[in-house]
Amino acid sequence: MTGIALVIASALLVGLGALVVLFWALSSGQYDDLDGDAERILIDDDS
Amino acid sequence: MTLLLRPAETADDLTRYVHGEAGSRSFEVAVNGARCAGCIAKIEAGVRGIAGVREARLNLSTGKLRVGWEGAAVAPQAVLRRVRDLGYGAQPFDAEATLDADAAQGRLLLRCLALAAFGTVFTVGLTDALWYGGDDMSAAVRATFYWLAAAIAIPVTLYAGQPFFRSAWSSLARRRTNMDVPISAALLLSLGLSLYQTLLRGQDIYFDAAVMLVLLLLVGRYLDFRLRNRARGAARHLLAMQSLLARRIKPDGDSETVSARDLVPGDRVILASGERAPVNGLLESQATEVDNSLVTGESAAVPVLPGAPLQAGAIITGPAAVLRVTARVEDSLVADLARLLEAGQQTRSRYVKLADRVARAYVPLVTVLALSVLAGWLVVGAPLATAATHAIAVLIITCPCALGLAVPAVQVVATGRLFRDGVFVKSGDALERLAEIDLAVFDKTGTLTTDVPVLANAVPPAVLEDAARLARASRHPLARAVAVAAGAGPVAQDARETPGEGIEGLLEGEVCRLGNAAWCGAPRDGSARLWFRRGDHTPVGFEFQETIRPEARKLIAALSMRHIAVEMLTGDRGGPAARVAREAGIANWCAGVGPREKAAHLEQLRAQGRRVLMVGDGINDAAAMALAHVSIAPGSATDISQLASDMVIRGDTLMPVVEALDVSRRARRLVLQNFALAALYNVTAIPLAASGLVTPLIAAATMAGSSLLVTLNALRLSWRRAA
């Protein structure tokens, strides 16, 4: 039974961790300009 | 979308667009025309090159350029000028409430979606363990599982269900109902019932159903949001089109920069080459040339003589001009069209979407059904708790989960497919409207024809060949037309081109000239636009006509085959119009129709009950396009008509119009099929739920099943090619 409890607890932790990361990414504006970010990768910064 | 003119704004006034404290200021610019990585790099590097600018970042999705600097060293005007010099439209950006609200809503939906997905995984895991292994568990473990599921499902549903709760509440506050009312009722009631059952150690736990419902509905909602958001993005582009500032000549001869709004009739304004006339007026200075494409849709430069009228929106392409103002900004043509456009868009927003029409019938039906189930069980003597449980089961089962996905799923697949085929669909309901049309109205210039001129008059072959030897050296459209007419051949030696005048070269030792009338010493009259003179011979004139798109005839035939009547409306003269109509195979056409008459004609057709598709490209079509049931603009269209239209065709062909029509009709069929599937599911599930036979497991499984079915059905749109 302790095994189940551990599995559930750790799964919840991992899930919550992923949620926290996603919420952080959202609020720091990483989803604000999906079109721009897709294009920006093509900009040659070295020149 | 609002198309109102911006408030008064003088040169000094720009400071009010600047945010932040001294030391760290920022300024936002709406950039028009940026589309790719090259544009981003060019604009950001250009603006960063201004001394003092610390940061410049362009958001391609919203078209917003954010410029940050330290101290007060940077003038906002310098930023605007730099972006305009790079060839993009730029206007100070009034941090618009609506746009920020859109971004915030998108973020909220994503956050809700992620949370609902998280909740679904855990709640379904926990409850499934109970369904399948509950009998082997001790009572304490079962209770722990229930409470754990409750602890996850209740906060997740309450948070992730916000979009539905809010919409339901605002709808109820206006004494109306929408689809979100039964959704919210089902969510809240199922949570309440499940909590009650958990307290009693009962079996009817709907936590998994509630969370899954939120997740599936949010998917539909998010897809819908993405579609609508793309459409709104287009609205901003009009901002960058209206000239705001003007240089007024003071009585003492100096000039001052004023807001276009402050101009009154009688004022004199200087327009440099490349500037746009902010208001209607009369040309006071020397003759010049203007590009009227914003006004008429015809992009060829038109000569303007002193004293002739100039309309707002005309761009000076010749020498600088002085304009005597005849109308205020709000009475000028562009503002007029913007008003017409806005009026048209308001009429269109009264269109009731298919899903809303279904919802209107659905909501009362479901409410009555649930109430009668409650009453029925009470009448046969069941306790209140049991009766309520069965009534709530009916509400949960009938929750329009598949209905919520039925429309957005199809529309996303349809717009995705049309995008690949070169049609950019700006809103989902545009597809619904396109499927209903019975009449297609086309504009002529720029829509059925292209700007590429072709030689129209018969020129002696020897002269044509001589002219072509000069013409082959040039990239000017008229020269290209001569070269095309003559075919491949040699190029004259030492051909030199003087931009705006013509080409000069030697042919067998004789000086030859190809160019405008003055360049060749020809009389400046008649319809010839290009002249050729060899040595001392009399100059020969070349006339041109516009080219009809090669696919025009095929397009009209394809539309007739689909039982769509076709009309052509044009501002052009009768002669060219008749030729184009004949060659394209259009029987009904009208020439000499101005922008207002076009709009009036569309209004009249609407009053007759016709559902009209308008295809046009010029600003003169914009008002008519906004009034039409649905409208399509070719990619070469002016910004304002791309803005007014529901769909924009990429690429240089009109055939996607037919493709869009076919896809929209099939999308409509699929949506109706989806409604039927959802209804079928409800018809079979409701009696089971009403009689108390549905377990929470069945409810959850059928819900997921019907949503999957609807989504798969929508995907068929991208699998099978249209006939």
Side-chain angles (χ1 to χ4, degrees), chain B residues 61-141:
Chain B
S61 312
T62 59
K64 238 161 74 172
L65 172 71
R66 206 187 128 83
V67 185
W69 66 88
E70 276 148 22
V74 179
Q77 285 91 337
V79 176
L80 292 181
R81 209 174 311 124
R82 177 63 59 92
V83 178
R84 285 180 189 146
D85 286 348
L86 289 170
Y88 299 92
Q91 285 305 325
F93 194 84
D94 205 357
E96 260 181 76
T98 55
L99 201 71
D100 289 344
D102 274 357
Q105 206 207 340
R107 249 181 257 159
L108 176 73
L109 278 174
L110 267 184
R111 209 173 285 151
C112 290
L113 201 58
L115 198 62
F118 166 82
T120 304
V121 168
F122 282 96
T123 319
V124 170
L126 287 168
T127 48
D128 274 9
L130 285 169
W131 307 139
Y132 296 115
D135 298 341
D136 303 333
M137 295 179 187
S138 69
V141 172

Coordinates of all heavy atoms in Angstrom, one line a residue, chain B residues 61-141:
Chain B
S61 N 2.9 38.2 -34.4 CA 1.5 37.8 -34.3 C 0.6 39.0 -34.2 O -0.5 39.0 -34.7 CB 1.3 36.9 -33.1 OG 2.3 35.9 -33.1
T62 N 1.0 40.0 -33.4 CA 0.2 41.2 -33.2 C 0.6 42.4 -34.0 O -0.1 43.4 -34.1 CB 0.2 41.6 -31.7 OG1 1.5 41.9 -31.4 CG2 -0.3 40.5 -30.9
G63 N 1.8 42.3 -34.7 CA 2.3 43.5 -35.4 C 2.7 44.6 -34.6 O 2.7 45.8 -35.0
K64 N 3.1 44.3 -33.3 CA 3.4 45.4 -32.4 C 4.9 45.5 -32.2 O 5.6 44.5 -31.9 CB 2.8 45.1 -31.0 CG 1.9 46.2 -30.6 CD 0.9 45.7 -29.5 CE 1.6 45.5 -28.2 NZ 0.6 45.2 -27.1
L65 N 5.5 46.6 -32.4 CA 6.9 46.8 -32.2 C 7.1 47.6 -30.9 O 6.6 48.7 -30.7 CB 7.6 47.6 -33.4 CG 9.0 48.0 -33.2 CD1 9.9 46.8 -33.2 CD2 9.4 49.0 -34.2
R66 N 7.9 47.0 -30.0 CA 8.1 47.6 -28.7 C 9.5 48.2 -28.7 O 10.5 47.5 -29.0 CB 8.0 46.6 -27.6 CG 7.6 47.1 -26.3 CD 7.7 46.0 -25.3 NE 8.5 46.4 -24.2 CZ 8.0 47.1 -23.2 NH1 6.8 47.4 -23.1 NH2 8.8 47.5 -22.2
V67 N 9.6 49.5 -28.5 CA 10.9 50.2 -28.5 C 11.2 50.7 -27.1 O 10.4 51.4 -26.6 CB 10.9 51.3 -29.5 CG1 12.3 51.9 -29.6 CG2 10.5 50.8 -30.9
G68 N 12.3 50.3 -26.5 CA 12.7 50.8 -25.2 C 13.9 51.7 -25.3 O 14.8 51.4 -26.1
W69 N 14.0 52.7 -24.5 CA 15.2 53.5 -24.4 C 15.4 54.1 -23.0 O 14.5 54.1 -22.2 CB 15.3 54.5 -25.5 CG 14.3 55.6 -25.3 CD1 14.4 56.8 -24.6 CD2 13.0 55.7 -25.9 NE1 13.3 57.5 -24.7 CE2 12.4 56.9 -25.5 CE3 12.3 54.8 -26.8 CZ2 11.1 57.3 -25.9 CZ3 11.0 55.2 -27.1 CH2 10.4 56.4 -26.7
E70 N 16.6 54.6 -22.8 CA 16.9 55.2 -21.5 C 17.0 56.7 -21.7 O 17.6 57.2 -22.6 CB 18.2 54.6 -20.9 CG 17.9 53.3 -20.2 CD 19.1 52.4 -20.2 OE1 20.2 52.8 -20.5 OE2 18.9 51.2 -20.1
G71 N 16.5 57.4 -20.7 CA 16.5 58.9 -20.8 C 15.5 59.4 -21.8 O 14.7 58.6 -22.2
A72 N 15.6 60.6 -22.2 CA 14.6 61.2 -23.1 C 15.2 61.4 -24.5 O 14.7 62.2 -25.2 CB 14.0 62.5 -22.5
A73 N 16.3 60.7 -24.7 CA 17.1 61.0 -25.9 C 16.3 60.7 -27.2 O 16.6 61.4 -28.2 CB 18.4 60.3 -25.9
V74 N 15.5 59.7 -27.3 CA 14.9 59.2 -28.5 C 13.5 59.9 -28.8 O 12.7 59.9 -27.9 CB 14.8 57.7 -28.5 CG1 14.2 57.2 -29.8 CG2 16.1 57.1 -28.3
A75 N 13.4 60.5 -29.9 CA 12.1 61.0 -30.3 C 11.2 59.9 -30.9 O 11.7 59.2 -31.8 CB 12.3 62.2 -31.3
P76 N 10.0 59.8 -30.5 CA 9.1 58.7 -31.1 C 9.0 58.9 -32.6 O 9.0 58.0 -33.3 CB 7.8 59.0 -30.4 CG 8.1 59.7 -29.1 CD 9.4 60.5 -29.3
Q77 N 9.1 60.2 -33.0 CA 8.9 60.4 -34.5 C 10.1 59.8 -35.2 O 9.9 59.3 -36.4 CB 9.0 62.0 -34.8 CG 7.7 62.7 -34.4 CD 7.7 63.2 -33.0 OE1 8.5 62.7 -32.2 NE2 6.9 64.2 -32.7
A78 N 11.3 59.8 -34.6 CA 12.4 59.2 -35.3 C 12.2 57.7 -35.5 O 12.6 57.2 -36.6 CB 13.7 59.4 -34.5
V79 N 11.6 57.0 -34.5 CA 11.3 55.6 -34.7 C 10.3 55.4 -35.8 O 10.5 54.5 -36.7 CB 10.7 55.1 -33.4 CG1 10.3 53.6 -33.5 CG2 11.7 55.2 -32.2
L80 N 9.2 56.2 -35.8 CA 8.2 56.0 -36.9 C 8.8 56.2 -38.2 O 8.6 55.5 -39.2 CB 7.1 57.0 -36.7 CG 6.2 56.8 -35.4 CD1 5.1 57.9 -35.4 CD2 5.6 55.4 -35.5
R81 N 9.7 57.3 -38.3 CA 10.3 57.6 -39.6 C 11.2 56.5 -40.1 O 11.2 56.1 -41.2 CB 11.1 58.9 -39.5 CG 11.1 59.7 -40.8 CD 11.8 61.1 -40.7 NE 11.3 61.8 -39.5 CZ 12.1 62.3 -38.5 NH1 13.3 62.1 -38.5 NH2 11.5 63.0 -37.5
R82 N 12.0 55.9 -39.1 CA 12.9 54.9 -39.5 C 12.1 53.6 -40.0 O 12.5 53.1 -41.1 CB 13.7 54.5 -38.3 CG 14.7 53.3 -38.5 CD 15.7 53.6 -39.6 NE 16.6 54.8 -39.2 CZ 17.7 54.7 -38.5 NH1 18.2 53.5 -38.2 NH2 18.4 55.8 -38.3
V83 N 11.0 53.3 -39.4 CA 10.3 52.1 -39.8 C 9.6 52.4 -41.2 O 9.6 51.6 -42.1 CB 9.2 51.7 -38.8 CG1 8.3 50.5 -39.3 CG2 9.8 51.4 -37.5
R84 N 9.1 53.6 -41.4 CA 8.5 54.0 -42.7 C 9.6 54.0 -43.8 O 9.3 53.6 -44.9 CB 7.8 55.3 -42.6 CG 6.5 55.2 -41.8 CD 5.8 56.6 -41.7 NE 4.7 56.5 -40.8 CZ 4.3 57.5 -40.0 NH1 5.0 58.7 -40.0 NH2 3.3 57.4 -39.2
D85 N 10.8 54.5 -43.4 CA 11.8 54.5 -44.4 C 12.2 53.1 -44.9 O 12.7 52.9 -46.0 CB 13.1 55.2 -43.9 CG 12.9 56.7 -43.8 OD1 11.9 57.2 -44.3 OD2 13.7 57.4 -43.1
L86 N 12.0 52.1 -44.0 CA 12.3 50.7 -44.4 C 11.2 50.2 -45.2 O 11.3 49.0 -45.7 CB 12.5 49.9 -43.1 CG 13.7 50.2 -42.3 CD1 13.7 49.5 -40.9 CD2 15.0 49.8 -43.0
G87 N 10.2 50.9 -45.4 CA 9.1 50.4 -46.3 C 7.9 49.8 -45.7 O 7.2 49.1 -46.3
Y88 N 7.8 50.0 -44.4 CA 6.6 49.5 -43.7 C 5.7 50.6 -43.1 O 6.2 51.7 -42.9 CB 7.1 48.6 -42.5 CG 7.9 47.4 -42.9 CD1 9.3 47.6 -43.0 CD2 7.4 46.2 -43.3 CE1 10.1 46.5 -43.4 CE2 8.1 45.2 -43.8 CZ 9.5 45.4 -43.8 OH 10.3 44.3 -44.2
G89 N 4.4 50.3 -43.0 CA 3.6 51.3 -42.4 C 3.8 51.3 -40.9 O 4.1 50.2 -40.3
A90 N 3.7 52.5 -40.3 CA 4.0 52.5 -38.8 C 3.1 53.6 -38.2 O 3.0 54.7 -38.8 CB 5.4 52.9 -38.6
Q91 N 2.4 53.3 -37.2 CA 1.6 54.2 -36.4 C 1.9 54.1 -35.0 O 2.1 52.9 -34.5 CB 0.1 54.0 -36.7 CG -0.3 54.4 -38.0 CD 0.0 55.9 -38.3 OE1 -0.1 56.7 -37.4 NE2 0.3 56.2 -39.6
P92 N 1.9 55.2 -34.2 CA 2.0 55.0 -32.7 C 0.9 54.1 -32.3 O -0.2 54.2 -32.8 CB 1.9 56.4 -32.2 CG 1.3 57.2 -33.3 CD 1.8 56.6 -34.6
F93 N 1.2 53.3 -31.4 CA 0.2 52.3 -31.0 C -0.4 52.7 -29.6 O 0.2 52.8 -28.6 CB 0.9 50.9 -30.8 CG -0.1 49.8 -30.7 CD1 -0.7 49.3 -31.9 CD2 -0.5 49.3 -29.5 CE1 -1.6 48.2 -31.8 CE2 -1.4 48.3 -29.5 CZ -1.9 47.7 -30.6
D94 N -1.7 52.9 -29.7 CA -2.4 53.3 -28.5 C -2.8 51.9 -27.8 O -3.6 51.2 -28.2 CB -3.7 54.0 -28.9 CG -4.2 54.9 -27.8 OD1 -3.5 54.9 -26.7 OD2 -5.2 55.6 -28.0
A95 N -2.0 51.6 -26.8 CA -2.1 50.3 -26.1 C -3.6 50.0 -26.0 O -4.3 50.4 -25.1 CB -1.5 50.3 -24.7
E96 N -4.1 49.3 -27.0 CA -5.5 49.1 -27.1 C -6.0 48.0 -26.1 O -5.5 47.0 -26.0 CB -5.9 48.6 -28.5 CG -6.4 49.7 -29.4 CD -6.8 49.2 -30.7 OE1 -7.8 48.5 -30.9 OE2 -6.0 49.4 -31.6
A97 N -7.1 48.4 -25.4 CA -7.6 47.5 -24.4 C -8.0 46.1 -25.0 O -7.7 45.1 -24.4 CB -8.8 48.1 -23.7
T98 N -8.6 46.2 -26.2 CA -9.2 44.9 -26.7 C -8.0 43.9 -27.0 O -8.2 42.8 -26.8 CB -9.9 45.2 -28.0 OG1 -9.0 45.9 -28.9 CG2 -11.1 46.0 -27.8
L99 N -6.9 44.5 -27.6 CA -5.9 43.6 -28.0 C -5.2 42.9 -26.8 O -5.0 41.7 -26.8 CB -4.8 44.3 -28.7 CG -3.9 43.5 -29.6 CD1 -4.7 43.0 -30.8 CD2 -2.7 44.3 -30.1
D100 N -5.0 43.7 -25.7 CA -4.5 43.1 -24.5 C -5.4 42.1 -23.9 O -5.0 41.0 -23.4 CB -4.2 44.2 -23.5 CG -3.0 45.0 -23.9 OD1 -2.2 44.5 -24.8 OD2 -2.8 46.1 -23.4
A101 N -6.7 42.4 -24.0 CA -7.7 41.5 -23.5 C -7.7 40.2 -24.2 O -7.8 39.1 -23.6 CB -9.1 42.1 -23.5
D102 N -7.5 40.3 -25.5 CA -7.4 39.0 -26.4 C -6.2 38.2 -25.9 O -6.4 37.0 -25.7 CB -7.2 39.4 -27.8 CG -8.5 39.7 -28.5 OD1 -9.5 39.5 -27.9 OD2 -8.4 40.1 -29.7
A103 N -5.1 38.8 -25.7 CA -3.9 38.1 -25.3 C -4.1 37.4 -24.0 O -3.8 36.2 -23.8 CB -2.7 39.0 -25.3
A104 N -4.8 38.2 -23.1 CA -5.0 37.6 -21.7 C -6.0 36.4 -21.8 O -5.8 35.4 -21.1 CB -5.6 38.7 -20.9
Q105 N -7.0 36.5 -22.7 CA -8.0 35.5 -22.8 C -7.3 34.2 -23.4 O -7.6 33.1 -22.9 CB -9.1 35.9 -23.7 CG -10.4 35.1 -23.4 CD -11.3 35.0 -24.6 OE1 -11.2 35.8 -25.6 NE2 -12.2 34.0 -24.6
G106 N -6.4 34.4 -24.4 CA -5.7 33.2 -24.9 C -4.9 32.5 -23.9 O -4.9 31.3 -23.8
R107 N -4.2 33.3 -23.0 CA -3.4 32.8 -22.0 C -4.3 32.0 -21.0 O -3.9 31.0 -20.5 CB -2.6 33.9 -21.3 CG -1.1 33.8 -21.6 CD -0.4 34.9 -20.9 NE -0.1 36.0 -21.8 CZ 0.2 37.2 -21.4 NH1 0.1 37.6 -20.1 NH2 0.5 38.1 -22.3
L108 N -5.4 32.6 -20.6 CA -6.3 32.0 -19.6 C -6.8 30.7 -20.2 O -6.8 29.6 -19.5 CB -7.5 32.9 -19.4 CG -8.5 32.3 -18.4 CD1 -8.0 32.3 -17.0 CD2 -9.9 33.1 -18.5
L109 N -7.2 30.6 -21.5 CA -7.7 29.4 -22.0 C -6.6 28.3 -22.0 O -6.9 27.1 -21.7 CB -8.1 29.6 -23.5 CG -9.5 30.2 -23.6 CD1 -9.8 30.5 -25.1 CD2 -10.6 29.2 -23.1
L110 N -5.4 28.7 -22.4 CA -4.3 27.7 -22.4 C -4.0 27.2 -20.9 O -3.8 26.0 -20.7 CB -3.0 28.3 -22.9 CG -2.7 28.2 -24.4 CD1 -1.4 28.8 -24.7 CD2 -2.7 26.7 -24.8
R111 N -4.1 28.1 -20.0 CA -3.9 27.7 -18.6 C -5.0 26.7 -18.1 O -4.7 25.7 -17.5 CB -3.9 29.0 -17.7 CG -3.0 28.9 -16.5 CD -2.9 30.2 -15.8 NE -2.1 31.1 -16.5 CZ -2.2 32.4 -16.5 NH1 -3.2 33.0 -15.8 NH2 -1.4 33.2 -17.1
C112 N -6.2 27.1 -18.5 CA -7.3 26.2 -18.1 C -7.2 24.8 -18.8 O -7.4 23.8 -18.1 CB -8.7 26.8 -18.5 SG -9.1 28.3 -17.6
L113 N -6.8 24.9 -20.1 CA -6.6 23.6 -20.8 C -5.6 22.7 -20.1 O -5.8 21.5 -20.0 CB -6.2 24.0 -22.2 CG -6.4 23.0 -23.3 CD1 -7.9 22.6 -23.4 CD2 -6.0 23.6 -24.7
A114 N -4.5 23.3 -19.8 CA -3.4 22.5 -19.1 C -3.9 21.9 -17.8 O -3.7 20.8 -17.5 CB -2.2 23.4 -18.9
L115 N -4.6 22.8 -17.1 CA -5.0 22.3 -15.7 C -6.1 21.2 -15.9 O -6.0 20.2 -15.2 CB -5.7 23.5 -15.0 CG -5.8 23.3 -13.5 CD1 -4.5 23.1 -12.9 CD2 -6.5 24.6 -12.9
A116 N -7.0 21.4 -16.9 CA -8.0 20.4 -17.1 C -7.4 19.0 -17.5 O -7.8 18.0 -17.1 CB -9.0 20.9 -18.1
A117 N -6.3 19.1 -18.4 CA -5.7 17.9 -18.8 C -5.0 17.2 -17.6 O -5.2 16.0 -17.4 CB -4.6 18.2 -19.9
F118 N -4.4 18.0 -16.8 CA -3.8 17.5 -15.6 C -4.8 16.8 -14.7 O -4.7 15.6 -14.3 CB -3.1 18.6 -14.8 CG -2.7 18.3 -13.4 CD1 -1.6 17.6 -13.1 CD2 -3.6 18.7 -12.4 CE1 -1.2 17.4 -11.8 CE2 -3.2 18.4 -11.1 CZ -2.1 17.7 -10.8
G119 N -5.9 17.5 -14.5 CA -7.0 17.0 -13.7 C -7.6 15.7 -14.2 O -7.9 14.7 -13.5
T120 N -7.8 15.7 -15.6 CA -8.4 14.5 -16.2 C -7.5 13.3 -16.0 O -8.1 12.2 -15.6 CB -8.6 14.8 -17.7 OG1 -9.4 15.9 -17.9 CG2 -9.3 13.6 -18.4
V121 N -6.2 13.4 -16.2 CA -5.4 12.3 -16.1 C -5.5 11.7 -14.7 O -5.6 10.4 -14.5 CB -3.9 12.7 -16.4 CG1 -2.9 11.6 -16.0 CG2 -3.7 13.0 -17.8
F122 N -5.4 12.5 -13.7 CA -5.4 12.0 -12.3 C -6.8 11.5 -11.9 O -6.9 10.4 -11.3 CB -4.9 13.0 -11.4 CG -3.4 13.1 -11.4 CD1 -2.7 14.0 -12.2 CD2 -2.6 12.1 -10.8 CE1 -1.4 14.0 -12.3 CE2 -1.2 12.2 -10.9 CZ -0.6 13.1 -11.6
T123 N -7.8 12.3 -12.2 CA -9.2 11.9 -11.7 C -9.6 10.6 -12.4 O -10.1 9.7 -11.8 CB -10.2 13.0 -12.0 OG1 -9.6 14.2 -11.7 CG2 -11.4 12.8 -11.2
V124 N -9.4 10.5 -13.7 CA -9.7 9.3 -14.4 C -8.9 8.1 -13.9 O -9.5 7.0 -13.7 CB -9.6 9.5 -16.0 CG1 -9.7 8.1 -16.7 CG2 -10.5 10.5 -16.5
G125 N -7.6 8.3 -13.6 CA -6.8 7.2 -13.1 C -7.4 6.7 -11.8 O -7.5 5.5 -11.6
L126 N -7.7 7.7 -10.9 CA -8.2 7.3 -9.6 C -9.5 6.6 -9.6 O -9.8 5.6 -9.0 CB -8.3 8.5 -8.7 CG -6.9 9.1 -8.2 CD1 -7.1 10.4 -7.6 CD2 -6.3 8.1 -7.2
T127 N -10.5 7.2 -10.4 CA -11.8 6.6 -10.4 C -11.8 5.3 -11.2 O -12.5 4.4 -10.8 CB -12.8 7.6 -11.1 OG1 -12.3 8.1 -12.3 CG2 -13.1 8.8 -10.2
D128 N -11.0 5.2 -12.3 CA -11.0 3.9 -13.0 C -10.5 2.8 -12.1 O -11.0 1.7 -12.1 CB -10.1 4.0 -14.2 CG -10.8 4.5 -15.4 OD1 -12.0 5.0 -15.2 OD2 -10.2 4.5 -16.5
A129 N -9.5 3.1 -11.2 CA -9.0 2.1 -10.3 C -10.2 1.7 -9.4 O -10.3 0.5 -9.1 CB -7.9 2.7 -9.4
L130 N -11.1 2.6 -9.1 CA -12.2 2.3 -8.2 C -13.2 1.4 -9.0 O -13.7 0.4 -8.4 CB -12.9 3.6 -7.8 CG -12.2 4.3 -6.6 CD1 -12.8 5.7 -6.4 CD2 -12.2 3.5 -5.4
W131 N -13.5 1.8 -10.3 CA -14.5 1.0 -11.0 C -14.0 -0.5 -11.2 O -14.7 -1.4 -11.0 CB -14.7 1.5 -12.4 CG -15.0 3.0 -12.6 CD1 -14.6 3.8 -13.5 CD2 -16.0 3.7 -11.8 NE1 -15.1 5.1 -13.3 CE2 -16.0 5.0 -12.2 CE3 -16.7 3.4 -10.6 CZ2 -16.7 6.0 -11.7 CZ3 -17.5 4.4 -10.1 CH2 -17.5 5.7 -10.6
Y132 N -12.7 -0.6 -11.5 CA -12.2 -2.0 -11.8 C -11.7 -2.8 -10.6 O -11.8 -4.0 -10.5 CB -11.1 -1.9 -12.9 CG -11.7 -1.4 -14.1 CD1 -11.2 -0.2 -14.7 CD2 -12.7 -2.1 -14.8 CE1 -11.7 0.3 -15.8 CE2 -13.2 -1.5 -16.0 CZ -12.7 -0.3 -16.5 OH -13.2 0.2 -17.6
G133 N -11.2 -2.0 -9.6 CA -10.6 -2.8 -8.5 C -11.2 -2.4 -7.1 O -10.6 -2.8 -6.1
G134 N -12.3 -1.7 -7.2 CA -12.8 -1.1 -5.9 C -13.2 -2.2 -5.0 O -13.1 -2.1 -3.7
D135 N -13.6 -3.4 -5.5 CA -14.1 -4.4 -4.6 C -13.0 -5.1 -3.8 O -13.2 -5.6 -2.7 CB -14.8 -5.5 -5.5 CG -16.0 -5.0 -6.2 OD1 -16.5 -3.9 -5.7 OD2 -16.5 -5.6 -7.2
D136 N -11.8 -5.0 -4.4 CA -10.6 -5.6 -3.6 C -10.0 -4.7 -2.6 O -9.1 -5.0 -1.9 CB -9.5 -6.0 -4.6 CG -10.1 -7.0 -5.7 OD1 -11.1 -7.7 -5.4 OD2 -9.6 -7.0 -6.8
M137 N -10.5 -3.4 -2.6 CA -9.9 -2.4 -1.7 C -10.6 -2.4 -0.4 O -11.8 -2.7 -0.3 CB -10.0 -1.0 -2.3 CG -9.3 -0.8 -3.6 SD -9.6 0.9 -4.1 CE -8.8 0.8 -5.7
S138 N -9.9 -2.0 0.6 CA -10.5 -1.9 1.9 C -11.3 -0.6 1.9 O -11.1 0.3 1.0 CB -9.5 -1.8 3.0 OG -8.8 -0.6 2.9
A139 N -12.3 -0.4 2.7 CA -13.1 0.8 2.8 C -12.3 2.0 2.9 O -12.6 3.1 2.3 CB -14.2 0.7 3.9
A140 N -11.3 2.0 3.8 CA -10.4 3.1 4.0 C -9.7 3.6 2.7 O -9.7 4.8 2.4 CB -9.4 2.8 5.1
V141 N -9.2 2.6 2.0 CA -8.5 3.0 0.8 C -9.4 3.6 -0.2 O -9.1 4.6 -0.9 CB -7.8 1.7 0.2 CG1 -7.2 2.0 -1.2 CG2 -6.7 1.2 1.1

